Amino acid sequence: MKRRAETGRQQNAIKVWVSAKSDFDKSVRRLNSALASGAAENLQTVWEASRSAQARLTVAEQGLTSSFQNDLNSLGGSELVKKVQSVLEQDEVAVSLMPTRYAVYAVVITKEAAVLRYAPITDVELVERIRALRLALEPATSSQAPQSIPVAALLAMRPYTTGLFEPEARSKRRWIVFSHDILRNVPIEAIPIDPDISDRPEDVATNAKSWPGLGKEIGYLPNLAALVDLRSNFPPSKAVRPVWAMADPILPGDPRYDNRLAAVAGDLSDWFRRTRLSLGLNHWLGDAQLVPVPETSRLAADAVSVLGGAAVDLHAGRNATTEAITSRQDIENSKVLIFATHGETAESYPLVGEPFLVFTSREKSPLGFDPLVASEIAKLSLDAEIVFLSACSTAAADGTPARAGFSGLADAFLSAGARSLVVTEWKVQTGPAHQVVLKSLDSAIHGQAASGEAVRSARLEVAKRYGHPAVWSAFVYIGDPGHHWMVK
């Protein structure tokens, strides 16, 4: 919407809506937290605040609708399906997954036809299966991955995801998925296409066609109208800078945090890295319990080099600050954005109250770092082709019940104007993240691959080394998988 704004009225309507939406999300999280903690003395105040925020959001949405007069949102079901079919290619399928109280419904749309299927299951049982799936995958991201794949937990979700896609989706190479409500917590990439799969990680890469994340080009979008909008004369990016990257924030436990000599050594390492002569000095600066991530600076530096960026495009160590974003226009005029840092959910830090990215603290804040929260990100005016959030849990739920759009940091970057994102479902290691970012860019630049294929090929490279779906399926693509990133 920000890119379609042509009048002052439209621009103001967007600004008001972004602010109202952020306030409403925060108020709902506070209410949810108060209910969970039983803080009765604050419950009435929090409840009234959420009601007020909801009223402001309703007014803002009405203003947005009247300003843009978007006819896509007013189309009936059959009319919208026909619009989707008109923009689909022969080798694509669009699937909308909708859970209800007693079943999961799937609208499966190809160029030729559209069918409606369903699989009966209660909402309670569906939640339990999703919970089992997440528990089976997330712990495997530790340094000692399990010896076998939790096949039973993955197959338990198959009838309500990839099983509903059959047979149309099996023959298509590109899947465009619209997952609603709690199904947004399910990485389709890790749900096997075939029920007969091996539980040995070393067999995964050789049987890539059995895994959607390795054999298919997959992209997620919030709704059917978004696909039509993206493929109907969508304005190209006007950004002129090739890349903006942030990495290696200085955190408590890192010697650079309190030690001046170590800080100087870190600056020297950063200088060497900028000139492509890195000696890896940050790797021996300390082994802290609060997981500083000095290795992320190499990831960002390599990406900047691939994209033809300059030294000023890399913000690392003492330069990895929120001021680098909020006080400079460079980020809003860059085609590719890379954040290689920590990502946190609202539940992780209740005092912050919303999901955020971690930056170096200039003034030694009580948290030990400066958070860049989702509501501040949403207020940016980005024109980026792709944003890589090489951080933990950047697609994870943000604590807002019944959220309409994508959850967490992903939604904030989309609201800010990013065309597409590569985000993470849970905690990830820097090694696989490095491979995903560099391989995706290489496939897009040198292989001329569309974005969905670029990310798929990157996941496949990770699978060849790590095997377990807990590692490679954590990386998901939000955007039109048929779009070619204009990054070089």
Side-chain angles (χ1 to χ4, degrees):
M1 286 185 296
K2 286 182 177 180
R3 283 186 289 274
R4 292 191 181 276
E6 298 176 350
T7 66
R9 181 189 177 195
Q10 290 176 334
Q11 293 171 352
N12 185 65
I14 292 172
K15 184 178 180 180
V16 171
W17 175 75
V18 168
S19 178
K21 181 172 177 289
S22 297
D23 290 344
F24 175 69
D25 288 346
K26 285 188 284 188
S27 70
V28 173
R29 291 188 204 103
R30 292 192 186 103
L31 177 60
N32 200 42
S33 178
L35 289 169
S37 63
E41 64 277 6
N42 296 324
L43 189 56
Q44 183 63 33
T45 301
V46 176
W47 168 254
E48 291 175 355
S50 67
R51 291 288 298 274
S52 177
Q54 184 179 30
R56 291 195 301 274
L57 179 58
T58 300
V59 173
E61 288 174 341
Q62 292 171 348
L64 199 63
T65 301
S66 64
S67 296
F68 280 85
Q69 297 294 322
N70 187 349
D71 60 347
L72 285 176
N73 293 324
S74 63
L75 289 178
S78 60
E79 293 176 298
L80 184 55
V81 167
K82 290 179 181 178
K83 282 277 190 180
V84 171
Q85 288 179 311
S86 70
V87 300
L88 283 177
E89 298 178 5
Q90 291 292 338
D91 211 14
E92 296 179 327
V93 60
V95 182
S96 183
L97 288 172
M98 299 167 288
T100 65
R101 188 173 182 181
Y102 296 111
V104 173
Y105 287 83
V107 180
V108 184
I109 308 171
T110 63
K111 190 74 174 177
E112 300 78 21
V115 297
L116 175 66
R117 297 195 181 91
Y118 76 94
I121 187 173
T122 66
D123 52 359
V124 175
E125 185 181 357
L126 183 61
V127 168
E128 284 301 313
R129 293 198 182 200
I130 293 174
R131 180 174 178 272
L133 168 72
R134 302 284 298 202
L135 288 175
L137 289 177
E138 292 187 43
T141 59
S142 64
S143 58
Q144 295 182 347
Q147 299 300 311
S148 63
I149 298 171
V151 170
L154 300 179
L155 292 179
M157 281 303 302
R158 185 175 179 273
Y160 313 102
T161 52
T162 56
L164 288 171
F165 298 4
E166 298 286 1
E168 294 83 3
R170 178 180 286 270
S171 62
K172 307 296 184 182
R173 68 182 174 88
R174 185 176 294 154
W175 294 3
I176 306 168
V177 181
F178 313 90
S179 296
H180 299 273
D181 200 35
I182 57 174
L183 286 175
R184 285 201 180 94
N185 293 312
V186 178
I188 300 298
E189 291 78 1
I191 308 300
I193 299 175
D194 298 309
D196 185 20
I197 58 169
S198 169
D199 65 353
R200 291 162 27 105
E202 55 268 32
D203 295 337
V204 167
T206 56
N207 295 288
K209 291 184 178 180
S210 297
W211 300 89
L214 306 179
K216 304 293 183 180
E217 303 172 23
I218 302 176
Y220 295 86
L221 286 171
N223 50 56
L224 291 171
L227 177 63
V228 179
D229 196 34
L230 286 171
R231 294 189 172 183
S232 302
N233 300 315
F234 202 66
S237 172
K238 297 179 181 178
V240 296
R241 299 182 66 89
V243 59
W244 189 100
M246 198 289 296
D248 185 22
I250 298 176
L251 305 173
D254 187 322
R256 294 172 294 172
Y257 189 77
D258 293 308
N259 188 293
R260 183 173 179 81
L261 180 60
V264 172
D267 288 344
L268 285 173
S269 177
D270 183 53
W271 180 83
F272 278 115
R273 185 166 46 254
R274 287 166 179 266
T275 56
R276 314 303 304 151
L277 296 172
S278 176
L279 299 181
L281 297 179
N282 279 354
H283 287 277
W284 50 260
L285 285 178
D287 183 16
Q289 295 180 350
L290 295 177
V291 288
V293 282
E295 64 274 14
T296 59
S297 57
R298 174 58 67 87
L299 184 163
D302 287 349
V304 169
S305 177
V306 166
L307 291 164
V312 295
D313 299 320
L314 175 59
H315 307 266
R318 288 195 293 175
N319 295 317
T321 63
T322 55
E323 288 83 1
I325 292 179
T326 57
S327 64
R328 296 182 62 174
Q329 299 299 314
D330 294 351
I331 188 173
E332 296 184 341
N333 198 28
S334 298
K335 291 182 180 294
V336 180
L337 305 181
I338 298 168
F339 292 89
T341 179
H342 288 287
E344 294 292 341
T345 63
E347 293 90 342
S348 301
Y349 287 81
L351 291 177
V352 178
E354 52 184 315
F356 61 87
L357 294 173
V358 172
F359 286 76
T360 299
S361 174
R362 286 288 194 183
E363 303 297 331
K364 298 290 179 66
S365 73
L367 292 172
F369 54 81
D370 283 343
L372 183 67
V373 296
S375 58
E376 288 298 317
I377 293 170
K379 294 174 184 176
L380 296 171
S381 295
L382 303 179
D383 202 13
E385 282 283 317
I386 174 67
V387 178
F388 288 95
L389 295 183
S390 184
C392 296
S393 306
T394 50
D398 67 353
T400 306
R403 190 185 184 101
F406 288 110
S407 58
L409 290 162
D411 187 60
F413 277 97
L414 291 175
S415 296
R419 283 169 167 72
S420 58
L421 303 164
V422 173
V423 291
T424 59
E425 287 281 356
W426 43 73
K427 292 185 180 297
V428 295
Q429 301 173 39
T430 302
H434 195 152
Q435 282 186 270
V436 167
V437 174
L438 271 295
K439 179 60 179 178
S440 295
L441 291 174
D442 180 70
S443 297
I445 296 171
H446 300 111
Q448 302 296 308
S451 55
E453 169 59 20
V455 178
R456 183 205 69 81
S457 64
R459 275 195 298 261
L460 184 57
E461 285 296 309
V462 174
K464 289 177 181 177
R465 179 174 179 181
Y466 296 94
H468 203 288
V471 182
W472 51 261
S473 72
F475 302 94
V476 300
Y477 177 66
I478 296 176
D480 177 3
H483 174 66
H484 284 77
W485 297 327
M486 306 301 293
V487 296
K488 191 71 171 179

